[in-house]
């Protein structure tokens, strides 16, 4: 996993005081994985996160640049504790090798503590 800042020179991906990654639309998480040989028909993406806006929720967006699909999950509420949220993923193809996680619609600021991809 790599955090990427898509802004100009000197751009930095923020962190909360608990070490969570702060996504705000100018950055993302690039998640590399290998699905070769899995042959799974379904998977679920889980994110341990929370909205970083007072009294406003946000969504999270996932994109597969190699698989050619995008989807949204949430809403992710603004609680003091991080909570698990999920989105069902399309069946993995042999060329699926990455996911891009970004803050989505809503307030557009997402704190990410952890994530998992689970296959049945």
């Amino acid at each position: 996993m790599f955090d990427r800042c898509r802004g100009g020179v000197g751009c930095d991906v923020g962190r909360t005081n608990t070490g969570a990654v702060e996504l705000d639309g100018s950055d993302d998480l690039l998640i590399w994985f290998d699905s070769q040989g899995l042959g799974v028909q379904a998977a679920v993406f889980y994110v341990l996160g929370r909205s970083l806006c007072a009294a406003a929720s946000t969504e999270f967006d996932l994109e597969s640049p190699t698989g050619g699909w995008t989807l949204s999950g949430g809403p992710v509420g603004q609680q003091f504790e991080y909570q698990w949220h999920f989105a069902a993923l399309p069946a993995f193809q042999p060329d699926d090798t990455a996911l891009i996680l970004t803050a989505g619609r809503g307030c557009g600021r997402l704190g990410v503590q952890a994530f998992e991809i689970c296959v049945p």
Side-chain angles (χ1 to χ4, degrees):
M1 178 208 54
F2 300 95
D3 52 41
R4 302 186 304 173
C5 188
R6 298 178 301 209
V9 175
C11 179
D12 189 27
V13 177
R15 299 282 192 275
T16 68
N17 61 354
T18 63
V21 176
E22 294 180 8
L23 300 178
D24 65 8
S26 67
D27 44 30
D28 59 30
L29 288 176
L30 178 60
I31 304 162
W32 289 99
F33 60 93
D34 184 3
S35 63
Q36 185 101 18
L38 285 180
V40 296
Q41 297 303 309
V44 179
F45 181 86
Y46 291 89
V47 62
L48 182 60
R50 72 179 186 97
S51 169
L52 296 176
C53 298
S57 64
T58 194
E59 292 184 357
F60 62 91
D61 293 337
L62 286 171
E63 176 186 353
S64 172
T66 55
W69 52 264
T70 60
L71 60 85
S72 294
V76 178
Q78 198 288 329
Q79 296 85 10
F80 291 109
E81 296 179 6
Y82 288 81
Q83 296 184 347
W84 286 103
H85 303 273
F86 68 92
L89 301 178
F92 286 126
Q93 303 301 315
D95 58 349
D96 278 339
T97 58
L99 291 176
I100 298 172
L101 173 64
T102 58
R105 293 183 310 196
C107 89
R109 294 188 60 233
L110 177 67
V112 177
Q113 190 76 41
F115 63 85
E116 296 178 353
I117 299 173
C118 298
V119 294

